[in-house]
Amino acid sequence: RTGMINPEIKISNIANEFRNIKRKVLLAARDKKSRELVNNLVMVTSTLPEEGKTFTAMNLALSMAAERDVQVVLMDCDLHRPSVGRYFENSKLPGLSDILTGSARLEEVMRRVESVPNLSIIFSGKRVEDSPELIASTRMRDLLVELSERYRDRIIIIDTPPALTTFEPAILAPHVHQTIMVVSAQSSGRHQIEKSLDSISACHNISFLFNKAPKWEQKDGGYYYNYEPKPAAGT
């Protein structure tokens, strides 16, 4: 109903779309010679709210988890308006903010998803008022290093707030290996997108994902397009 990939259905439009997207992410993540995951920190953001960044992060994580030899960690780094938790049970348990405030350890908050064996979740944790300062802390930087180096067999997907309305994506940009900027059809303007890109320019590998794309159809020998109510991802 929400447009998410169903792990039990191998072939669907949304599953095929994200198969194409994940191949490009995996290609950039793997060392060309050893094929090890070396650039495995992937930030997902957008320019403005409601463009589909959590939709993208969730589906990318589910698609990645379908790989035979790839483990996935999905981390909700949007401490302002956490969204990942609404798709899972027990999302009120300790999470990222608890790690950053020193009240929990990584092993205590990383939770396996029983229905998707290759997927683990780090929820946002308790609500805090100083999330930009926590994200900018040495503890956050050390956490990213630990995730990247300790879990070499895993892609770590980081769902962040929008880049134009919060500071967190700009803070995280120097420490991640890849960034996916979600752009929704008829949403952000060119100037807004350029400003967002400038804020995260410290990340040297930034890709666009065009979301809620128009659907093209043929009618009477010509083509026209319309917008469907549910999101449809596209590269």
Side-chain angles (χ1 to χ4, degrees), residues 178-229:
Q178 302 182 53
T179 295
I180 297 175
M181 172 69 75
V182 180
V183 178
S184 176
Q186 295 188 332
S187 181
S188 303
R190 182 186 182 93
H191 175 70
Q192 293 171 313
I193 295 171
E194 289 176 345
K195 190 173 180 180
S196 298
L197 286 174
D198 184 61
S199 72
I200 61 171
S201 60
C203 177
H204 300 298
N205 188 336
I206 301 174
S207 302
F208 283 104
L209 188 145
F210 187 44
N211 191 38
K212 304 180 185 178
K215 179 181 178 182
W216 293 86
E217 297 179 5
Q218 187 173 13
K219 185 177 181 180
D220 300 330
Y223 287 90
Y224 71 97
Y225 66 89
N226 57 38
Y227 287 89
E228 294 193 336

Side-chain angles (χ1 to χ4, degrees), residues 49-188:
E50 308 301 331
E51 294 202 75
K53 62 178 185 57
T54 300
F55 166 81
T56 297
M58 280 281 301
N59 278 312
L60 182 60
L62 289 166
S63 185
M64 287 278 188
E67 294 289 305
R68 299 297 176 87
D69 58 349
V70 176
Q71 301 279 325
V72 184
V73 177
L74 174 59
M75 181 165 65
D76 193 342
C77 203
D78 190 343
L79 303 183
H80 294 282
R81 295 174 57 190
S83 303
V84 171
R86 69 171 179 250
Y87 299 102
F88 299 92
E89 296 178 350
N90 300 321
S91 62
K92 300 300 182 182
L93 294 172
L96 176 60
S97 64
D98 301 277
I99 298 175
L100 300 181
T101 56
S103 58
R105 293 176 298 163
L106 176 59
E107 297 83 359
E108 297 171 333
V109 304
M110 189 183 296
R111 310 184 191 285
R112 288 276 186 179
V113 179
E114 292 184 4
S115 59
V116 188
N118 288 355
L119 177 61
S120 298
I121 305 289
I122 300 176
F123 296 118
S124 61
K126 67 180 179 183
R127 191 168 293 275
V128 292
E129 300 297 330
D130 58 342
S131 57
E133 287 75 22
L134 286 175
I135 298 300
S137 67
T138 301
R139 192 182 292 269
M140 182 66 194
R141 183 193 64 193
D142 292 345
L143 174 63
L144 292 176
V145 171
E146 180 180 3
L147 284 167
S148 178
E149 295 184 354
R150 180 176 175 181
Y151 299 106
R152 284 291 188 182
D153 63 336
R154 305 190 189 192
I155 291 284
I156 294 88
I157 299 173
I158 306 165
D159 183 29
T160 73
L164 199 60
T165 59
T166 59
F167 298 103
E168 283 87 332
I171 294 169
L172 292 172
H175 308 297
V176 299
H177 304 125
Q178 302 182 53
T179 295
I180 297 175
M181 172 69 75
V182 180
V183 178
S184 176
Q186 295 188 332
S187 181
S188 303

Side-chain angles (χ1 to χ4, degrees), residues 32-52:
K32 292 183 180 180
K33 293 183 179 180
S34 67
R35 304 297 293 166
E36 291 183 353
L37 294 172
V38 292
N39 299 316
N40 56 348
L41 296 175
V42 182
M43 179 170 73
V44 180
T45 189
S46 61
T47 296
L48 298 172
E50 308 301 331
E51 294 202 75

